[in-house]
Amino acid sequence: VFVADTGSSTVSAFQQAGDSFPARSVCGSPFRMDAPPTALAGGGPEPSSELVYLVVGSGPSRTLSLYRVDARTGVLTGPVATLGTKYTPTALVTWGSFIYAANSDGDVSVFAISENGSALTEIPGSPFLAGSGPAAITAADPGLLYVANSKSNDISGYLLDVSTGVPTPLPGSPYPAGVGPSSIEAAPPYFPNPPGGPTFVIVTNQGDNTVSVYSIAGNGALGMVTGSPFPTGTAPSSSATGNMLPLRYLYVTNSGSGNISGYTIDDATGALTPLPGSPFPAGLQPVSVAASIGQRFLYVANQGSNNLSVFSVDRDTGALVPVSASPFPVGKSPSAVLYFQVPQ
């Protein structure tokens, strides 16, 4: 679990070591960055890859930096590569050996990671046009990319070329969203890659306090599910489902009301139903959320209280229960939290 501490130019790192250690600080954490981190992505070219990396984007410095992750200890080494860009990255996602950066300038940059994980290279034709004010990005197999555009209130969808990484607009793109979409996720998520790929795309709309759920057609096009959008708390900022199959629960952080909206999600229709006890309390200004494998734990970065809330998820009810010692301190003004499972 990695947390981008924008205000202190560090990345905090935690390990999940079984059910009894849902959050244990990595030796050496927090790790000093060369620029304020504002976006994170990572994993490996394949779920079983021994090459594990963390990509750190900095909007203020317009840079992407590549760090090696020790699969056993979680320790960061690097940066092994840093690349300056002309654009302002707001969100990152990895797909295979490519990194996709949503830029506030209204486009998407694509970078290839070298085979040995030591270099970043922008691919020919990059950047590619998106909507106005891209704020979030997600990718999924067999090669789908979606970008939430906060100013044009829509979603740009692309089909990805497996060999070149080039994105081509999907039929019907862009797709309408709510007001001020702030986050986007494919459910189940890409990494680790669940069998069958994603079923839904979920978008939080910060401007109208809703969450939109879309079904994914065979050609990758998005269609709003019945009943969508669904109400949330104030200023929803991110969402997480985990890769549990079938899908069971969805959690949305509400940065304005300082809590987490929980829902059951119908795996067949995508319909959301509020959980008993929802919303659940979080820290001050929760801005980013991630779920562990199997959705046993939920990790929430609280920007206003400079900490990480960790919850266990009741498998039968979906209720959130803070784990012992939660919340855990991180650096100043955390802006993003990233979870991925390293090879065992």
Side-chain angles (χ1 to χ4, degrees):
V1 179
F2 296 100
V3 181
D5 308 319
T6 304
S8 53
S9 292
T10 58
V11 168
S12 298
F14 300 86
Q15 280 185 303
Q16 178 185 316
D19 293 347
S20 60
F21 292 101
R24 180 173 58 188
S25 185
V26 167
C27 183
S29 175
F31 298 93
R32 176 62 57 182
M33 300 286 110
D34 294 331
T38 53
L40 301 175
E46 300 293 340
S48 60
S49 172
E50 294 182 1
L51 172 63
V52 185
Y53 53 78
L54 179 72
V55 187
V56 180
S58 176
S61 69
R62 294 186 169 186
T63 57
L64 296 182
S65 296
L66 188 65
Y67 291 80
R68 292 282 183 89
V69 179
D70 187 299
R72 183 176 61 86
T73 67
V75 170
L76 297 182
T77 303
V80 296
T82 296
L83 185 66
T85 79
K86 300 177 182 178
Y87 317 104
T88 305
T90 57
L92 303 173
V93 70
T94 59
W95 181 73
S97 58
F98 299 100
I99 301 167
Y100 295 85
N103 302 314
S104 62
D105 315 76
D107 47 36
V108 176
S109 297
V110 186
F111 305 89
I113 302 175
S114 64
E115 190 172 343
N116 62 1
S118 62
L120 296 173
T121 306
E122 190 165 7
I123 71 168
S126 175
F128 300 89
L129 188 65
S132 179
I137 191 168
T138 189
D141 275 346
L144 298 171
L145 185 76
Y146 301 100
V147 177
N149 303 302
S150 63
K151 294 181 179 179
S152 51
N153 300 323
D154 55 20
I155 302 164
S156 299
Y158 309 86
L159 179 66
L160 302 178
D161 187 283
V162 175
S163 59
T164 66
V166 170
T168 302
L170 289 168
S173 177
Y175 310 100
V179 179
S182 53
S183 75
I184 188 167
E185 69 162 322
Y190 160 63
F191 189 89
N193 184 29
T199 307
F200 303 107
V201 165
I202 299 168
V203 176
T204 59
N205 303 300
Q206 198 162 56
D208 60 12
N209 302 326
T210 62
V211 57
S212 299
V213 182
Y214 303 82
S215 60
I216 303 176
N219 62 0
L222 299 184
M224 196 87 74
V225 306
T226 302
S228 182
F230 302 90
T232 64
T234 305
S237 51
S238 66
S239 70
T241 57
N243 73 333
M244 179 183 291
L245 298 174
L247 291 172
R248 296 184 67 183
Y249 305 122
L250 170 71
Y251 299 95
V252 173
T253 55
N254 303 303
S255 61
S257 48
N259 52 24
I260 304 163
S261 297
Y263 310 84
T264 58
I265 179 169
D266 189 301
D267 190 63
T269 68
L272 302 183
T273 303
L275 290 171
S278 175
F280 304 96
L284 296 177
Q285 198 179 351
V287 294
S288 185
V289 61
S292 70
I293 303 304
Q295 206 177 41
R296 295 191 65 85
F297 299 102
L298 202 70
Y299 301 89
V300 177
N302 302 301
Q303 191 168 71
S305 48
N306 300 325
N307 53 26
L308 179 73
S309 296
V310 183
F311 303 89
S312 62
V313 179
D314 188 297
R315 302 294 289 273
D316 296 321
T317 67
L320 299 180
V321 179
V323 303
S324 178
S326 177
F328 300 86
V330 296
K332 295 179 181 179
S333 301
S335 58
V337 61
L338 173 70
Y339 175 96
F340 63 80
Q341 183 169 328
V342 298
Q344 301 295 314

